[in-house]
Every structure is written in C-alpha cells, then in structure tokens.
Amino acid sequence: MRKVVAAPLPGLDLRQHYGHHQSPAIRAGGLIFCSGMLPIDPQTGERLHGTLTSEAHVIFANLKLLLESAGSSLDRLVQVHALIYDSIEYDVLNRVYRQYVASGPPARTVWTAQIEAGFKVELDVIAAA
Amino acid sequence: MSSRREVIVASLFARDRASTFGPAVSTLVRGGDFLFVSGLAAVDPDSGERVRGTTASETRQILVNLKQLLEVAGSSLDKVVKVNVLLHSMLEAPNMNDVYARFFREPPPARTVCGARLPDDAKVIIECTALV
C-alpha cells in the first residue's frame, strides 16, 4: 500500500509552486518517505534564503508540520540525509540538528552537494509512520 | 531460516549475467516489502554500453530501463515510493523534470534532486525505492 501524504499547508506543495513532479511524502510499508525538505515559507512557498542555521530551522519546522500531519513526528525519524553546500559548515549543521533530534537520534549521513536554488541545506528523510 | 533479503535481478544485460564475476553491484535488492534499486546511469539495454546524451535524453533512457527492471522484479513505476536524482548540474533540473514527469503517473513518488560529481561523465543518475 502506497499513500500520498498531502501538504499540510499550501506553501509546502513544491509541485504547485515550482513544478517539481513529486508528492510531499509517501507512506508505504510502515514508513514515511519525504521529498527533499527545503527552507520555504510553509504558507506562501516563498524561498527563505539565509544562513545555514536559519535555513535549517525553517526546514525542521516544515518537516515537523509534514510528519505530524501524517501521524508521525521528529522523534520517529529513522534515517536522515543532510545535504549541505559546503563541508566547512558541518559543525554549524550539527549545532542546529541537535536541537531537533535530542535523544535517540536517527541514522544520518551528511555530504556536500549542489542544492536547488542555491540553498545551503536540504534534508532527505525517512520516518516511521 | 528464510531470508528477508534477496537479490532479484543482477542486470538487464546478458553480458553482465554471463561474466565470471557478475556485476559489482546488484541492480535490485529486495529487503522486506521494499525493492532497493542501485543508482542507474544511462545505458543501452541491448549492448550494455553507456549512452551519452543530454540530461533529458539520459533521463529518458534511465527511466525506460528502470521501468523494465522494476517490472522484471514484479514491481512497477507506479509502486515507486522514493526517487533520488543526482544531476551533474542543478541548472539542468528543469530538463530532467520535464522528461521525468512523463514517466510517473499520479500521484508521483517522493523525490530529492541534487547536483553532484558523477562517475564516468554521467549527466544523470537515478536511484529509487519501490514496494514489491
């Protein structure tokens, strides 16, 4: 069984705002697979460029909204891929990251990649449903 | 004890199947209810040779091959839950997206797209997870 998790707020529908051919998240086999999470305004879809820290705060807030709308939560993250624009910011990412996954953190891999629209960070996650 | 892990299809290509060592990477592995598909670059399904083209044409070739691989393994594009697309440049994302949208029917899978340095001058690599 494969079910779409709809955008809980209109801004989180990247397909509507930017034409990305993707669902916000898919629930299947007891897991929730999220599309790459970006720092966008959850109401308007506007891109919120900033520092890696400010972008990560927006992303975690959006991820929380999306997961909770699907009956999951940040505490139920299983795996996180954190894409950052430059590995020099690794410690900066960790500082924000710790605030959201305090105890029993998920499996994680961080690497450097080119992120869409020149963002500094993107999170690609799987959570338990 | 029954295994929850099974290599389903090592390769589409007779040449790989006949090789002494087999392909270095299993193309599809089943684990639990899921099929995990290795990152695919654009190859000609008959010869196994790499096809070099535009981001759009490489995307098309990869998705044609992916469709066949999934169907051989008893799954389909409609059962894909998550796709990761790696591009040689994020400037090419719209070129990939236009072709991509023709392969995945409603509702499309979750997806992450990023730019990365790809092996063998590939312009696109696509990996995915699907339900069996």
Side-chain angles (χ1 to χ4, degrees):
Chain A
M1 254 284 261
R2 173 188 181 280
K3 284 182 75 177
V4 173
V5 177
L9 289 172
L12 296 179
D13 188 346
L14 290 184
R15 185 172 184 189
Q16 190 200 324
H17 294 286
Y18 300 109
H20 298 359
H21 194 73
Q22 64 193 38
S23 299
I26 297 282
R27 177 202 290 265
L31 298 173
I32 296 171
F33 297 80
C34 298
S35 285
M37 299 297 294
L38 295 165
I40 52 163
D41 185 305
Q43 295 293 348
T44 65
E46 187 191 349
R47 294 179 173 121
L48 299 176
H49 289 96
T51 61
L52 190 141
T53 302
S54 73
E55 291 190 3
H57 280 303
V58 177
I59 290 171
F60 270 110
N62 288 346
L63 186 56
K64 185 170 188 289
L65 281 169
L66 182 63
L67 290 177
E68 289 181 356
S69 79
S72 182
S73 71
L74 291 177
D75 295 335
R76 295 175 65 78
L77 286 170
V78 172
Q79 186 188 52
V80 176
H81 292 157
L83 286 63
I84 58 177
Y85 75 107
D86 193 320
S87 55
I88 202 167
E89 297 256 45
Y90 183 69
D91 294 340
V92 177
L93 170 73
N94 278 336
R95 227 170 287 141
V96 191
Y97 191 86
R98 271 197 293 270
Q99 299 172 35
Y100 293 92
V101 286
S103 59
R108 188 186 76 167
T109 307
V110 182
W111 68 87
T112 300
Q114 211 185 354
I115 301 168
E116 75 170 77
F119 286 125
K120 295 194 170 75
V121 56
E122 175 168 13
L123 294 183
D124 177 41
V125 314
I126 301 171
Chain B
M1 206 176 83
S2 74
S3 172
R4 294 271 286 158
R5 175 185 181 279
E6 182 191 359
V7 175
I8 304 276
V9 184
S11 175
L12 279 178
F13 316 117
R15 194 185 62 171
D16 284 349
R17 286 196 296 269
S19 106
T20 309
F21 301 105
V25 179
S26 304
T27 308
L28 265 100
V29 177
R30 177 178 176 164
D33 296 332
F34 294 103
L35 278 172
F36 297 87
V37 185
S38 296
L40 303 176
V43 291
D44 182 311
D46 296 320
S47 67
E49 298 292 329
R50 276 273 290 113
V51 176
R52 292 167 204 285
T54 61
T55 295
S57 72
E58 291 196 8
T59 301
R60 183 180 304 107
Q61 184 67 67
I62 291 166
L63 293 175
V64 164
N65 294 350
L66 176 62
K67 179 174 190 290
Q68 193 184 340
L69 278 167
L70 289 170
E71 288 172 2
V72 166
S75 183
S76 71
L77 288 178
D78 293 340
K79 291 184 176 174
V80 173
V81 296
K82 176 71 202 296
V83 179
N84 291 330
V85 181
L86 293 92
L87 297 173
H88 75 290
S89 166
M90 278 306 280
L91 295 175
E92 298 259 36
N95 300 328
M96 176 280 298
N97 192 56
D98 289 348
V99 175
Y100 182 98
R102 286 181 230 144
F103 282 84
F104 288 96
R105 291 193 297 208
E106 297 304 320
R111 189 180 73 171
T112 299
V113 182
C114 75
R117 286 174 64 186
L118 304 181
D120 198 22
D121 291 327
K123 293 200 169 78
V124 190
I125 286 183
I126 298 178
E127 64 163 2
C128 78
T129 306
L131 284 169
V132 179

